[in-house]
Amino acid sequence: MTAGAGRYAPTPSGDLHIGNLRTALLAWLFARRTGRAFRLRIDDLDPDRSRDPAGQLADLAALGLTHDGPIVRQSARTSSYAKVLDGLIEGGLVYECFCTRREIAEAPTAPHHPPGAYPGTCRSLTRSEIEAKHASGRTPALRLRAEVSALTIEDELHGAFAGGVDDMVLRRADGVHAYNLAVVIDDHDIGVDQVVRGDDLLASTPRQAYLYDVLGHPRPSYVHVPLVLNAQGQRLAKRDGPVTMRDLGLPAHLVLAMLGASLGLCADDEQVDVEVLLDRFDPNAIPQEPWVFG
Ligand code: GLU
């Protein structure tokens, strides 16, 4: 086994749907195929969106997706995020941002900024402007003082991918650490060097890669896998009907065969387990097209 690890990192917002399960299976197959450990992390940073992950964990176990080491919960790692953030603050790489969402949406964007990027409104506030904002009762978010506006990452399925980097939020005004910061610190701390996840997250990857660079950590290898779509060609969601293991009411081995079939690894009525799928799995031959479910 190499020293590295892959991982699956669900947000505990209810049962996993078939698309989430397929991504989890792919992450497991990629990790095991390359001799890596496989870690599980619960992305429960946001207290408003977090539920008990027990059902998700039970579904992953029922499919046979074994994991190594303890399950990591982001909600228990706040002090690690705070420590890294303190280092960035000491390095002069962080500034306070008092903008509301609306102010950001309405601000004119500078020509060299990618769409949706923070326009830099608070980047150069003077000390007295900052004091006035505090005095008016506004609580700031903390943003990274980014030195680039774009970055190219390498993805094993997408090849070179260039995307925008901006002065991303590191800690929200409500004190919750930002997802981009947390995932980078987590993955580094738990030895993850292979990130397999849905390709809806590809666009935020250059930001995360930039954080790796800023923190002086080697970037992981990235594999952004196609999402599962509904019959209308939109990203599958729980409102699309019976899409979770519980709602489908199927035994785990049939769900696994369905997922395996969608990856061209078995017939959808074949008796398989994850080890059989692993034997047949070729990372270079996974379908590039989204799987339409329903
Ligand atoms: N928790 C994120 C999600 O469920 C995934 C984070 C990641 O894989 O980096 O979409």
Coordinates of all heavy atoms in Angstrom, one line a residue, residues 7 9-11 41 43 179 183 197 201, ligand 1:
R7 N -10.7 9.3 -0.6 CA -11.7 9.5 0.4 C -13.0 9.8 -0.2 O -13.2 10.1 -1.4 CB -11.3 10.7 1.4 CG -10.8 12.0 0.7 CD -11.7 12.7 -0.2 NE -11.6 14.1 -0.3 CZ -12.5 14.9 -0.8 NH1 -13.6 14.4 -1.4 NH2 -12.2 16.2 -0.9
A9 N -16.5 12.1 1.1 CA -16.8 13.2 2.1 C -18.2 13.7 1.9 O -18.4 14.8 1.4 CB -15.8 14.3 1.9
P10 N -19.2 12.9 2.3 CA -20.6 13.4 2.1 C -20.9 14.6 3.1 O -20.4 14.6 4.2 CB -21.4 12.2 2.5 CG -20.6 11.4 3.4 CD -19.1 11.6 3.0
T11 N -21.8 15.4 2.6 CA -22.5 16.4 3.5 C -23.7 15.7 4.1 O -24.5 15.1 3.4 CB -22.9 17.6 2.7 OG1 -21.7 18.1 2.1 CG2 -23.6 18.7 3.5
R41 N -15.1 11.1 5.5 CA -15.2 12.3 6.3 C -16.6 12.8 6.2 O -17.2 12.7 5.1 CB -14.2 13.4 5.6 CG -14.2 14.7 6.4 CD -13.2 15.7 5.8 NE -13.8 16.3 4.6 CZ -13.2 16.5 3.5 NH1 -11.9 16.1 3.3 NH2 -13.8 17.0 2.5
D43 N -18.8 16.0 6.1 CA -18.7 17.5 5.9 C -19.8 18.2 6.6 O -20.8 18.7 6.0 CB -18.6 17.8 4.4 CG -17.3 17.5 3.8 OD1 -16.4 17.1 4.6 OD2 -17.1 17.7 2.6
Y179 N -15.9 26.2 3.4 CA -15.7 24.8 2.8 C -14.3 24.7 2.2 O -13.6 23.7 2.4 CB -16.8 24.6 1.9 CG -16.6 23.5 0.8 CD1 -16.6 22.2 1.2 CD2 -16.3 23.9 -0.5 CE1 -16.3 21.2 0.2 CE2 -16.0 22.9 -1.4 CZ -16.0 21.6 -1.1 OH -15.8 20.6 -2.0
V183 N -11.8 21.8 3.5 CA -11.4 20.5 2.8 C -10.0 20.4 2.5 O -9.4 19.3 2.6 CB -12.2 20.3 1.5 CG1 -13.7 20.2 1.7 CG2 -12.0 21.4 0.5
R197 N -14.4 13.0 -6.8 CA -15.7 13.6 -6.4 C -16.4 14.0 -7.6 O -15.9 14.0 -8.7 CB -15.4 14.8 -5.4 CG -14.6 15.9 -6.0 CD -14.3 16.9 -5.0 NE -13.4 17.9 -5.6 CZ -12.7 18.9 -4.9 NH1 -12.9 19.0 -3.6 NH2 -12.0 19.8 -5.5
L201 N -17.9 19.9 -8.7 CA -16.9 20.6 -7.8 C -15.7 21.0 -8.6 O -14.8 21.6 -8.0 CB -16.6 19.7 -6.6 CG -17.8 19.6 -5.6 CD1 -17.5 18.5 -4.6 CD2 -18.1 20.9 -5.0
Ligands
GLU1 N1 -19.1 17.4 1.0 C1 -19.1 17.7 -0.4 C2 -20.4 17.3 -1.0 O1 -21.1 16.5 -0.5 C3 -17.9 17.1 -1.1 C4 -16.6 17.7 -0.8 C5 -15.5 17.1 -1.5 O2 -15.6 16.0 -2.0 O3 -14.5 17.8 -1.6 O4 -20.7 17.7 -2.1

